[in-house]
């Protein structure tokens, strides 16, 4: 590789190819929470998906699985301001359960929360963007099916990949998440907080890997076909720019070579420049663990082969700074242990005083140590070392004191010392990792270059160069045709197209969700009461609702939009209204929308009156009257539930504590209890709107809305109500429809009459109506068959009409 080409590659590619998981980059959530050691209520150890690690069953809602402040800070320190990480877990979630797998939040700011909704069959990722905005990415998928699943969610800047059972389910481009985690951020497992989002089921191997493509650790057989970068699309663009630069550079080099051919007759000594030092032809030198020579302007190096050390008695082989192979050094014996020349040993006498000794000339010599610097950490965080008398604080930077780690080797601080570790893409030349050499991934077959590419080795990594005439798809593959550019793709207009070898893939744009070929808009906080999200954060409401999120019910009764018959009264319902017959009237069976079918109830004939035995019932329009016969002294008492109620008596209904009745001169009058929130003795069961306690509030399932006790709303064609902190939902009542074919339109809850039988989803079957198929065979209504000559066309007889459609699952 030319020097200019190599410089360009090094300047652009900072991607490592090391695939091992450094323990410092792994957060084992079970271990950090001491799960199984410190018992948590509602959590018990059970048999898992496999026996290699522990599994825990999460039950009930009386639990508080939260990391301590110290434990949370220890985990979050690894995550703070990271742009690439992966959440992995093996779990079995109860059927229809909606719960949080893990949640990292501060107050109401959710920085990272993974949730599985069994009610809506969704996996949700909640996070905050770098613009400090709350965002939820929704992946339609069912985890809550009481089956084991391996789940991993990888985040690389704006690139999000969801794997389930080692299959790539979704790949999205989102706004870049912010991991600027403040102090006192809390870490929860299996719940959002102590009151909401309880996961019910079994979890195993819950980990956060602070590295790209962490799903490889869960599914090692997955091919790495996707670049691991801080910005997926930026990488593709920059690599294409790099190709263009390399092509132009190659052209310039070709011209330069022609000019150089004219100078071949001249003698010109070619030198080698290494780390700022100029070497002449045939010069030799040692570079770490390599012997190098300059030959015709090119540096050629060979790895030094160290012979087995043969040290005489009283000496031991050790590494010496600046020298590749071990050398024999004199040893000292101290407290039964061998120390080599220059080693230090700290001991404490019976009084606790520290004495420092050094091995020199085969014996230990006392070293006078100065005063120790003042430590700014608690005593519990102070560590005593074996080679010095002065203690250090936990987390001390030993690397700053000097180390023998050479080029391509990083110094790593341990608790009581420092060690060397080869950088990704390099292998050790010594067992202490102080000297390392580049791994040639191309020569050793440890690369991921795919079709139509050529592997080129680079220090610590490699790159895949497209063959001439091919265009780049990603870091590892090229193609001769870009379907995304030519428009020959199947992506939705609200999706991003990604060219692949032999095809393409689609991913919905931010603000939309779907499989890429079909994308639907997402709205923050969701469209309420059956509203439809038509574009990001824009809802179209169902009839009867209004507001930005369709949160407001239109009261057709008070707005004067409805005129009911005089014998009926308008009753507002969520999303619609109803003309209900007034007291004393009932529907005659010929239902009309305005209440014109209401007719008087003869309470005297039907016995539905409260006239006492000494009064006579007289029917009135819309009611009745209890009259005292001439010459009688009537008491005005009432009969209610076969019991005598005296005139002016007041009582509460036995089956409805919120209704009050009274007897008024022979008539029983009942009404709903009037709620006076100023009255301290008000019954909160009957008047939930008077309950101002915070504990009586309900949190909407999306976590963005809060309802007070007594509030009602429509969700998924159900009428829901918050009562003293508990949500109760029941089917939304719909007006009856009397027609042959009905359809529930998309985004609505109630059926409507239609004339096209093939569009109907409900039919009032008439067995007297039959159909003749293409062969003249009689088919009864409701029967279905495969059309002759086809395999995927399904036909059905609907009350004498033949309706055929292609089964997409058959194709």
């Amino acid at each position: 590789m030319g020097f200019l080409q190599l410089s360009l590659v090094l300047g652009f590619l900072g991607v490592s190819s090391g695939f091992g998981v450094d323990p410092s980059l792994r957060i084992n959530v079970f271990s950090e929470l001491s799960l199984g050691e410190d018992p948590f209520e509602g959590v018990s150890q059970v048999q898992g998906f496999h026996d290699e690690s522990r599994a825990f069953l999460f039950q009930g809602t009386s639990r508080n699985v939260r990391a301590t402040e110290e434990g949370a800070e220890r985990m979050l320190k690894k995550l703070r301001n990271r742009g690439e990480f992966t959440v992995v877990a093996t779990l079995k979630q109860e059927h229809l359960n909606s719960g949080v797998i893990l949640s990292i939040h501060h107050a109401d700011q959710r920085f990272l929360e993974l949730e599985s909704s069994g009610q809506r069959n969704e996996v949700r990722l909640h996070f905050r963007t770098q613009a400090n905005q709350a965002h939820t990415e929704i992946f339609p998928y069912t985890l809550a099916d009481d089956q084991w699943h391996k789940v991993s969610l990888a985040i690389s800047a704006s690139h999000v990949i969801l794997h389930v059972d080692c299959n790539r389910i979704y790949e999205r481009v989102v706004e870049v998440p912010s991991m600027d985690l403040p102090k006192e951020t809390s870490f929860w497992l299996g719940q959002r907080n102590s009151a909401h989002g309880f996961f019910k089921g079994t979890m195993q191997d819950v980990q956060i890997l602070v590295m790209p493509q962490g799903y490889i650790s869960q599914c090692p057989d997955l091919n790495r076909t996707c670049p691991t970068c801080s910005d997926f699309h930026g990488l593709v663009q920059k690599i294409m720019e790099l190709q263009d630069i390399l092509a132009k550079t190659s052209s310039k080099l070709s011209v330069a070579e022609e000019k150089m051919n004219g100078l071949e007759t001249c003698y010109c000594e070619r030198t080698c420049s290494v780390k700022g030092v100029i070497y002449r032809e045939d010069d030799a030198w040692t570079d770490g663990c390599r012997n190098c020579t300059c030959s015709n302007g090119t540096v050629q190096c060979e790895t030094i082969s160290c012979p087995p050390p043969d040290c005489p008695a009283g000496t031991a082989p050790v590494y010496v700074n600046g020298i590749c192979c071990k050398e024999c050094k004199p040893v000292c014996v101290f407290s039964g242990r061998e120390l080599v020349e220059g080693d230090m040993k700290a001991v404490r006498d019976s009084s606790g005083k520290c004495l420092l000794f050094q091995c020199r000339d085969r014996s230990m010599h006392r070293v006078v140590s100065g005063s120790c610097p003042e430590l700014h950490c608690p005593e519990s965080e102070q560590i005593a070392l074996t080679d010095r008398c002065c203690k250090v604080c936990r987390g001390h930077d030993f690397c700053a004191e000097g180390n023998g780690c050479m080029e391509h080797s990083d110094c790593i601080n341990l608790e009581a010392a420092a060690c060397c570790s080869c950088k990704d893409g390099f292998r050790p030349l010594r067992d202490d990792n102080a000297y390392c050499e580049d791994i040639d991934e191309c020569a050793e077959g440890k690369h991921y270059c795919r079709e139509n590419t050529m592997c080129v080795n680079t220090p610590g990594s490699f790159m895949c160069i497209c063959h001439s005439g091919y265009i780049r798809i990603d870091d590892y593959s090229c193609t001769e045709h870009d379907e995304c550019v030519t428009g020959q793709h199947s992506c939705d207009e609200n999706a991003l197209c990604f060219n692949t070898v032999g095809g393409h893939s689609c991913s919905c744009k931010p603000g939309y969700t779907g499989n890429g070929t079909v994308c639907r808009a997402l709205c923050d906080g969701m469209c309420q009461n059956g509203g439809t999200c038509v574009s990001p954060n824009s809802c179209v409401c169902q009839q009867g609702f209004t507001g930005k999120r369709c949160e407001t019910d239109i009261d057709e009764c008070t707005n004067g939009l409805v005129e009911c018959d005089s014998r009926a009264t308008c009753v507002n319902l969520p999303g619609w209204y109803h003309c209900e017959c007034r007291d004393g009237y009932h529907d005659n069976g010929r239902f009309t929308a305005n209440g014109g079918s209401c007719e008087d109830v003869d309470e005297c004939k039907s016995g539905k009156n409260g006239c006492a035995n000494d009064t006579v019932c007289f029917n009135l329009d819309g009611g009745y009257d209890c009259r005292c016969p001439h010459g009688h002294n009537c008491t005005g008492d009432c009969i209610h539930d076969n019991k005598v109620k005296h005139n002016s008596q007041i009582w509460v209904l036995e089956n409805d504590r919120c209704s009050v009745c009274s007897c008024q001169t022979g008539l029983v009058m009942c009404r709903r209890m009037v709620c006076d929130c100023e009255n301290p003795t008000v019954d909160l069961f009957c008047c939930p709107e008077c309950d101002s306690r915070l504990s009586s509030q309900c949190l909407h399932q999306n976590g963005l809305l809060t309802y007070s006790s007594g509030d009602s709303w429509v969700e998924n064609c159900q009428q829901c109500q918050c009562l003293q902190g508990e949500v109760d939902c029941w089917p939304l009542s719909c007006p009856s429809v009397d027609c042959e074919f009905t359809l529930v339109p998309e985004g609505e809850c109630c059926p409507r009459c239609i004339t096209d039988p093939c569009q109907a989803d409900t039919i009032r079957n008439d067995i007297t109506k039959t159909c003749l198929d293409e062969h003249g065979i009689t088919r009864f209504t409701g029967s279905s068959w495969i059309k002759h000559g086809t395999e995927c066309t399904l036909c059905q007889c609907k009350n004498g009409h033949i309706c055929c459609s292609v089964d997409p699952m058959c194709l």
Side-chain angles (χ1 to χ4, degrees):
M1 175 183 292
F3 178 74
L4 176 58
Q5 291 176 314
L6 182 59
S7 300
L8 289 170
V9 173
L10 287 174
F12 176 69
L13 289 181
V15 182
S16 69
S17 61
F19 302 124
V21 180
D22 188 332
S24 65
L25 302 180
R26 184 193 300 271
I27 300 175
N28 190 320
V29 178
F30 285 175
S31 298
E32 293 291 348
L33 290 174
S34 300
L35 217 60
E37 301 169 14
D38 296 333
F40 285 92
E41 182 180 355
V43 181
S44 56
Q45 186 169 338
V46 295
Q47 177 69 35
F49 180 68
H50 55 75
D51 297 329
E52 283 76 18
S53 60
R54 295 177 297 175
F56 294 93
L57 175 64
F58 292 74
Q59 295 175 302
T61 57
S62 298
R63 47 183 158 96
N64 203 33
V65 186
R66 175 184 183 182
T68 62
E69 291 185 9
E70 295 79 7
E73 182 58 27
R74 193 164 50 248
M75 288 186 282
L76 301 180
K77 185 177 180 181
K78 297 183 179 181
L79 271 176
R80 192 167 281 122
N81 297 319
R82 294 282 188 157
E84 294 183 312
F85 55 87
T86 306
V87 179
V88 297
T90 303
L91 54 84
K92 182 170 72 170
Q93 187 177 7
E94 287 185 8
H95 187 60
L96 296 179
N97 168 246
S98 295
V100 171
I101 298 171
L102 63 83
S103 179
I104 299 174
H105 62 265
H106 182 269
D108 59 345
Q109 296 181 330
R110 289 185 282 186
F111 289 93
L112 178 64
E113 181 174 296
L114 187 58
E115 179 184 13
S116 169
S117 171
Q119 297 291 338
R120 293 181 59 84
N121 297 325
E122 294 174 346
V123 177
R124 304 186 187 119
L125 172 65
H126 307 279
F127 61 89
R128 295 195 73 81
T129 66
Q130 291 189 342
N132 202 30
Q133 298 294 318
H135 181 79
T136 299
E137 192 70 17
I138 299 177
F139 306 95
Y141 196 85
T142 304
L143 287 179
D145 56 1
D146 211 22
Q147 301 292 324
W148 280 104
H149 294 290
K150 288 183 177 181
V151 182
S152 76
L153 190 77
I155 298 175
S156 177
S158 61
H159 198 203
V160 178
I161 305 177
L162 174 66
H163 281 82
V164 180
D165 298 328
C166 298
N167 295 307
R168 182 174 299 196
I169 305 301
Y170 289 101
E171 188 169 350
R172 299 272 179 84
V173 176
V174 300
E175 293 188 57
V176 179
S178 169
M179 295 306 289
D180 184 13
L181 305 172
K183 291 287 187 180
E184 299 179 358
T185 297
S186 58
F187 194 114
W188 297 77
L189 181 64
Q191 57 195 99
R192 177 174 295 117
N193 48 44
S194 58
H196 298 288
F198 292 100
F199 175 92
K200 295 181 180 179
T202 306
M203 282 197 270
Q204 190 173 18
D205 299 331
V206 181
Q207 301 179 59
I208 303 178
L209 307 175
V210 189
M211 57 181 290
Q213 295 184 339
Y215 51 80
I216 299 293
S217 68
Q218 190 183 56
C219 303
D221 294 332
L222 285 178
N223 287 328
R224 292 194 166 203
T225 59
C226 193
T228 61
C229 58
S230 294
D231 190 337
F232 178 74
H233 298 293
L235 176 64
V236 174
Q237 182 63 33
K238 287 186 180 296
I239 290 182
M240 295 180 72
E241 292 173 2
L242 178 61
Q243 275 190 285
D244 185 52
I245 293 172
L246 289 174
K248 292 178 180 177
T249 304
S250 298
S251 177
K252 292 179 180 179
L253 287 174
S254 178
V255 175
E257 285 179 357
E258 290 180 4
K259 294 181 179 180
M260 291 290 292
N261 289 335
L263 301 175
E264 287 184 351
T265 57
C266 301
Y267 174 76
C268 190
E269 184 182 24
R270 297 184 179 182
T271 60
C272 303
S273 177
V274 179
K275 301 178 183 178
V277 179
I278 303 297
Y279 295 95
R280 301 187 63 179
E281 181 75 11
D282 294 330
D283 278 354
W285 69 96
T286 299
D287 182 8
C289 283
R290 300 183 304 168
N291 287 327
C292 301
T293 58
C294 179
S295 176
N296 198 24
T298 302
V299 177
Q300 297 180 349
C301 298
E302 293 183 354
T303 302
I304 295 176
S305 178
C306 295
D310 185 14
C311 295
T315 64
V318 293
Y319 286 121
V320 178
N321 285 343
I323 300 177
C324 180
C325 300
K326 289 184 177 181
E327 293 190 350
C328 297
K329 290 291 182 180
V331 298
C332 305
V333 177
F334 188 74
S335 299
R337 294 183 58 187
E338 285 189 349
L339 302 178
V340 298
E341 184 81 8
D343 282 354
M344 310 282 282
K345 183 67 176 178
V347 296
R348 284 174 170 77
D349 58 19
S350 58
S351 63
K353 181 180 179 182
C354 180
L355 303 176
L356 187 63
F357 295 89
Q358 185 180 32
C359 178
R360 294 199 307 270
D361 300 329
R362 302 182 185 275
S363 62
M364 300 299 291
H365 297 268
R366 173 80 180 275
V367 178
V368 178
S369 57
S371 59
C372 294
E374 182 182 356
L375 298 181
H376 301 285
C377 60
E379 188 173 349
S380 60
E381 292 293 312
Q382 297 178 9
I383 301 174
L385 305 177
T386 60
D387 62 347
R388 65 184 76 176
C389 283
C390 296
K391 294 183 178 181
V392 296
C393 290
R394 191 181 303 277
H396 179 72
D397 190 356
F398 294 98
C399 292
E401 299 176 353
N403 57 83
C405 302
M406 308 304 289
E407 187 181 12
H408 309 313
S409 178
D410 291 329
C411 179
I412 298 177
N413 281 302
L414 303 178
E415 184 171 274
C419 69
C420 298
S421 176
C422 289
K423 295 180 180 179
D424 290 332
F426 295 85
R427 65 164 63 93
L429 292 172
R430 296 193 337 190
D431 52 15
D432 62 353
N433 283 7
Y435 290 88
C436 306
E437 68 173 350
D438 176 48
I439 299 173
D440 190 339
E441 292 87 356
C442 300
E444 298 181 12
K446 296 180 179 179
H447 62 86
Y448 294 91
C449 295
R450 303 187 68 189
E451 296 87 349
N452 310 317
T453 66
M454 176 180 65
C455 180
V456 177
N457 187 56
T458 62
S461 186
F462 64 93
M463 67 178 299
C464 306
I465 303 298
C466 291
H467 291 322
S468 177
Y470 290 85
I471 59 175
R472 181 167 300 283
I473 298 173
D474 53 34
D475 248 0
Y476 310 104
S477 52
C478 304
T479 184
E480 55 187 356
H481 178 62
D482 192 338
E483 295 172 333
C484 297
V485 173
T486 60
Q488 298 174 340
H489 59 81
S490 60
C491 298
D492 188 273
E493 61 179 353
N494 295 310
L496 297 174
C497 179
F498 301 99
N499 197 48
T500 61
V501 177
H504 64 279
S505 63
C506 308
S507 180
C508 292
K509 294 178 181 178
Y512 294 85
T513 183
N515 59 9
T517 56
V518 177
C519 298
R520 59 181 178 86
L522 285 174
C523 293
D524 253 353
M526 298 194 306
C527 300
Q528 302 176 37
N529 299 310
T532 302
C533 186
V534 293
S535 63
N537 295 326
S538 178
C539 300
V540 172
C541 303
Q542 283 196 46
Q543 181 179 357
F545 292 96
T546 186
K548 184 178 180 181
R549 295 286 177 264
C550 306
E551 71 278 6
T552 304
D553 172 47
I554 298 175
D555 192 337
E556 294 86 353
C557 298
T558 59
N559 291 346
L561 302 176
V562 178
E563 184 175 350
C564 294
D565 188 88
S566 60
R567 292 164 293 182
T569 182
C570 182
V571 178
N572 185 59
L573 295 172
W576 63 297
Y577 68 93
H578 175 54
C579 289
E580 188 175 275
C581 294
R582 295 179 183 273
D583 291 339
Y585 297 91
H586 70 106
D587 192 88
N588 58 15
R590 298 184 296 272
F591 175 79
T592 56
N594 68 345
S597 54
C598 296
E599 63 181 20
D600 176 54
V601 175
D602 190 340
E603 293 87 355
C604 298
K605 286 186 178 180
S606 62
K608 298 179 180 179
N609 63 80
C611 295
N613 293 333
D614 51 357
T615 60
V616 178
C617 176
F618 285 87
N619 187 57
L620 302 175
D621 188 26
Y624 65 95
D625 189 15
C626 298
R627 300 179 183 177
C628 184
H630 182 70
H632 287 251
N633 182 18
C634 300
T635 62
D637 291 343
C638 305
I639 302 296
H640 185 263
D641 288 341
N642 296 323
K643 296 179 182 178
V644 176
K645 302 292 184 181
H646 298 294
N647 190 26
S648 301
Q649 183 178 348
I650 300 175
W651 67 95
V652 177
L653 291 180
E654 293 181 0
N655 58 352
D656 184 2
R657 62 187 271 191
C658 301
S659 293
V660 179
C661 298
S662 63
C663 177
Q664 301 176 10
T665 61
L667 294 176
V668 175
M669 307 293 290
C670 296
R671 60 176 173 81
R672 189 75 175 173
M673 181 184 295
V674 177
C675 293
D676 179 10
C677 295
E678 299 297 327
N679 184 357
T681 62
V682 65
D683 190 342
L684 296 180
F685 178 83
C686 301
C687 304
E689 63 271 22
C690 297
D691 193 349
S692 60
R693 295 174 301 172
L694 184 63
S695 61
S696 298
Q697 293 182 327
C698 301
L699 186 67
H700 191 279
Q701 187 169 341
N702 63 17
L704 303 177
L705 300 174
T706 302
Y707 295 102
S708 299
S709 187
D711 286 352
S712 297
W713 67 96
V714 174
E715 179 71 23
N716 292 333
C717 296
Q718 288 190 319
Q719 176 72 46
C720 298
Q721 186 178 28
C722 174
L723 290 174
Q724 298 182 1
E726 294 293 333
V727 177
D728 187 18
C729 297
W730 56 92
L732 184 67
S733 58
C734 293
S736 59
V737 289
D738 185 14
C739 49
E740 189 175 9
F741 305 110
T742 58
L743 168 71
V744 179
E746 185 178 359
E748 297 186 16
C749 300
C750 296
R752 294 185 181 181
C753 293
I754 59 173
T755 56
D756 186 355
C758 294
Q759 294 184 2
D761 50 24
T762 305
I763 300 173
R764 184 191 297 163
N765 285 325
D766 185 349
I767 60 175
T768 63
K769 297 179 180 180
T770 59
C771 304
L772 289 178
D773 65 11
E774 61 271 20
H775 293 295
I777 300 175
T778 300
R779 304 281 187 175
F780 291 101
T781 187
S783 63
S784 58
W785 65 97
I786 302 296
K787 189 174 181 179
H788 178 71
T790 69
E791 294 181 355
C792 300
T793 302
L794 181 67
C795 297
Q796 188 177 12
C797 180
K798 296 184 176 182
N799 284 3
H801 302 272
I802 297 178
C803 298
C804 298
S805 61
V806 177
D807 182 3
M809 301 302 293
C810 172
L811 297 176

